């Protein structure tokens, strides 16, 4: 089968290490079919999917339920296991069962999964350090947010902007700093999800200079919106961590340029339209879909000269492949060497419309934005899953676990506490 790609560019498919597909448990928001349809339409060939579903992906049974739901996938996927205070005895079984990374919530967000104490977190890091899998962190300190939110609510404050006020940048920065200390102590590999502030970049940079294996992502919404979004977009912009003030946005762009931020992910977090427009901001669910719009939005930044195409490819595919061990052959230089490809038209212009999204959640803060640069074909392991801007029928179930190719480097645990190791083994 010959593809005429005259005038098009052939890029590695994007690897989005941060999506929530809600299945099982919240399939009115999304499921593996609609979520991976959105990925295929967005030029995304691999996703890493989060554990805040029902039942949470925190036990072997939870993992089996997730694997059963993921059988519908159209693109390749990694699965996150939850790392919480109450499930440390399941970590070995989750690894044996095939999780590809772990997720630890330092603060509460959708799903209300409790955040482990610092003590439990240290133990969790020690256990996972023995396996070498990366731990992705929702780095927001629960106790700071809880107090701020309560103060605001008691004072009757409930505008969209009050969501930002409830989570100042110290919330994320304190969590990133603490996580880096625990990672240094244990030798755990960590990944800082959704970096939203300039302040987080300093502990990240310093930890890396000390040899901590820490990677970090930011998301299109932090790069493209600032505090004006609370008035202009309203409650739909509510997301954890929040979109912040202009100086933070500028610092994130500098962080991309100087390499302290390794990659772009989306935090694809679909909710039904009615869940995004409730009476007070405190009742509005946090997050919005992103996996389908990342590539057009970022290619638009390439068209505007804010980012080079090679930097975009590194941020969307090369860096996540390296951080999560997705090199199919030893020494292979091209991530996704098994033909995970996005063929893009860098000159094509479109307008983002929620109603046209393939996510079940027809709501996006990017509504109406003009983009230049759109994926027109997506191939997963050499097979078209999206062709000429249309889903290819019959590709449900083509997606496979990345376990097939994932090879993390050898674990390097440090400061192994022999007493604890014996107890928790
Ligand atoms: O806004 C968010 N939504 N932030 C998170 O951390 C979780 C996510 C979700 O699952 O809805
Ligand atoms: Zn999060
Ligand atoms: Zn998330």
């Amino acid at each position: 089968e010959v593809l005429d790609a005259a005038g098009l560019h052939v890029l590695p498919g994007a690897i989005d290490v941060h999506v929530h597909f809600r299945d099982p448990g919240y399939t009115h928001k999304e499921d593996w079919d609609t979520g991976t349809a959105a990925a295929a339409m967005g030029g995304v060939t691999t996703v890493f999917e989060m554990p805040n579903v029902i039942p949470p992906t925190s036990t072997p049974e939870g993992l089996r339920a997730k694997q059963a739901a993921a059988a519908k996938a159209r693109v390749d996927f990694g699965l996150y296991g939850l790392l919480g205070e109450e499930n440390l005895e399941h970590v070995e079984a989750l690894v044996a069962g095939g999780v590809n990374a772990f997720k630890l919530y330092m603060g509460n967000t959708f799903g209300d999964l409790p955040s482990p104490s610092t003590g439990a977190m240290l133990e969790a890091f020690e256990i996972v350090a023995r396996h070498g899998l990366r731990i992705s962190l929702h780095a927001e300190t629960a106790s700071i947010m809880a107090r701020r939110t309560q103060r605001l609510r008691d004072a009757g404050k409930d505008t969209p902007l009050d969501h930002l006020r409830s989570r100042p940048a110290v919330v994320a920065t304190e969590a990133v700093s603490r996580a880096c200390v625990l990672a240094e102590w244990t030798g755990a590999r960590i990944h800082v999800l959704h970096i939203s502030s300039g302040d987080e970049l300093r502990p990240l940079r310093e930890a890396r200079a000390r040899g901590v294996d820490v990677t970090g992502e930011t998301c299109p919404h932090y790069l493209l919106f600032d505090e004006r979004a609370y008035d202009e977009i309203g409650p739909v912009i509510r997301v954890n961590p929040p979109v912040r003030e202009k100086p933070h946005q500028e610092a994130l762009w500098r962080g991309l340029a100087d390499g302290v931020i390794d990659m772009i992910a989306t935090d694809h977090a679909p909710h039904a339209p009615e869940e995004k427009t409730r009476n007070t901001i405190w009742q509005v669910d946090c997050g919005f879909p992103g996996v389908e719009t990342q590539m057009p939005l970022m290619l638009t930044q390439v068209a505007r000269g804010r980012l080079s195409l090679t930097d975009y490819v590194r941020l969307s595919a090369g860096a996540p492949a390296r951080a999560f061990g997705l090199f199919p052959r030893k020494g292979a230089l091209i991530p996704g060497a098994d033909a995970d490809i996005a063929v893009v038209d860098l000159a094509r212009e479109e307008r983002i419309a929620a109603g046209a999204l393939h996510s079940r959640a027809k709501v996006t803060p990017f509504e109406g934005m003009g983009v230049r640069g759109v994926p027109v074909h997506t191939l997963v392991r050499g097979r078209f899953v999206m062709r000429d801007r249309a889903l290819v029928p019959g590709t449900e179930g083509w997606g496979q676990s990345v376990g097939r190719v994932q090879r993390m480097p050898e674990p390097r645990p440090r400061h192994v506490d022999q007493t604890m190791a014996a107890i928790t083994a």
Side-chain angles (χ1 to χ4, degrees), residues 18 20 50 103 105 138 193-194 240 267-269:
H18 189 170
H20 301 263
M50 289 291 172
K103 166 73 175 278
Y105 286 92
H138 179 103
L193 298 161
H194 44 44
N240 297 330
D267 196 5
H268 177 85

Side-chain angles (χ1 to χ4, degrees), residues 20 22 52 109-110 138 194 239-240 267 269 271 286-287:
H20 301 263
R22 311 298 194 203
N52 56 337
T109 182
F110 180 74
H138 179 103
H194 44 44
V239 62
N240 297 330
D267 196 5
H271 298 287
C286 296

